[in-house]
């Protein structure tokens, strides 16, 4: 009894089982349309690979920027040198961000800078928030668009929308910094009280109010469907809330301070209702 042999895979046959002629297969391969569609395929594959690289880099830049902000939130004074330990952490994360920007810089040249602007925009906004916060802590001034653009590789475009949206987010970090510093030191960052003699002797609340005034004067009616036009309403409300929180905290600190005599400190030995039962 003979064992039937299986046909070799990949052999093309007609409906009646006969093998197709090799000449016909050659005709298909040499069709004038095949090279054109193969080029389309290669271009689409290259586009998707490039897009994925930019999205991944944007996420890594966002993560590194957040870590820089978390480290800088441990600073407790304005216009002074950042402590060495915090500075080393910030420098390490900043170097990692620059490496990510350098990796995707070739993918964002020419028209691709605008083609993939949406994919890199989130990372650039978070980067703007981090470097503007660091710049404010060191100088108590707002970083300009030109200064921020110079910190990026030449092929990475910092748009006005990404710059403004990053500064919107900066207000939230200023709020956290102000409230945390008041809670730990008992004073508003930058405040010199009665010692203030010049216009430059301003505290963080004055700066935040100035930013609020500038943002409220911003005309975004012509932005349409751009990133700024889509996000400005939500970010405007968050920005106002952040400034109001600092105002409330300062009012509370001033009122409580006036109710207490100078040099008052809490009596830690005072009985406050007995021991608290543990679980």
């Amino acid at each position: 009894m003979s064992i039937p042999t299986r046909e070799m895979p990949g052999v093309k046959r007609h409906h009646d089982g006969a093998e197709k002629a090799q000449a016909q297969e050659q005709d298909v391969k040499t069709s004038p349309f095949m090279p054109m569609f193969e080029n389309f395929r290669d271009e689409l594959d290259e586009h998707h690979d490039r897009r994925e690289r930019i999205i991944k880099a944007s996420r890594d830049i966002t993560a590194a920027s957040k870590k820089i902000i978390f480290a800088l939130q441990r600073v407790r004074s304005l216009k002074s040198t950042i402590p060495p330990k915090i500075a080393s952490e910030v420098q390490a994360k900043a170097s990692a961000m620059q490496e990510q920007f350098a990796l995707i810089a070739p993918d964002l040249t020419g028209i691709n800078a605008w083609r993939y602007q949406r994919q890199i925009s989130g990372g650039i906004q978070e980067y703007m928030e981090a470097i503007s916060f660091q710049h404010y802590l060191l100088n108590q001034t707002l970083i300009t668009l030109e200064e921020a653009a110079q910190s990026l590789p030449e092929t990475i475009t910092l748009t006005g929308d990404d710059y403004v949206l990053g500064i919107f987010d900066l207000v939230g970090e200023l709020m956290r910094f102000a409230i945390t510093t008041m809670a730990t030191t008992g004073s508003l960052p930058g405040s010199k009280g009665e010692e203030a003699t010049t216009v430059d002797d301003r505290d963080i609340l004055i700066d935040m109010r100035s930013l609020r005034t500038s943002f409220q004067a911003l005309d975004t009616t012509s932005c349409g469907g751009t990133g700024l036009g889509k996000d400005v309403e939500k970010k405007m409300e968050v920005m106002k809330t952040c400034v109001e929180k600092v105002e409330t905290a300062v009012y509370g600190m001033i009122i409580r301070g006036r109710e207490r005599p100078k040099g008052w400190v809490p009596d830690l030995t005072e009985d406050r209702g007995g021991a608290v039962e543990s679980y």
Side-chain angles (χ1 to χ4, degrees), residues 5-17:
T5 58
R6 299 181 62 183
E7 297 175 355
M8 293 295 292
V11 178
K12 296 184 178 181
R13 298 181 179 275
H14 292 291
H15 65 280
D16 58 358

Side-chain angles (χ1 to χ4, degrees), residues 100-114 120 124 149 152-158:
Q100 291 297 327
F101 278 125
L103 287 175
I104 60 173
D107 295 327
L108 294 171
T109 57
I111 194 173
N112 286 340
W114 301 104
I120 192 61
I124 291 180
L152 292 169
E154 291 184 3
T155 56
I156 306 294
T157 302
L158 175 60

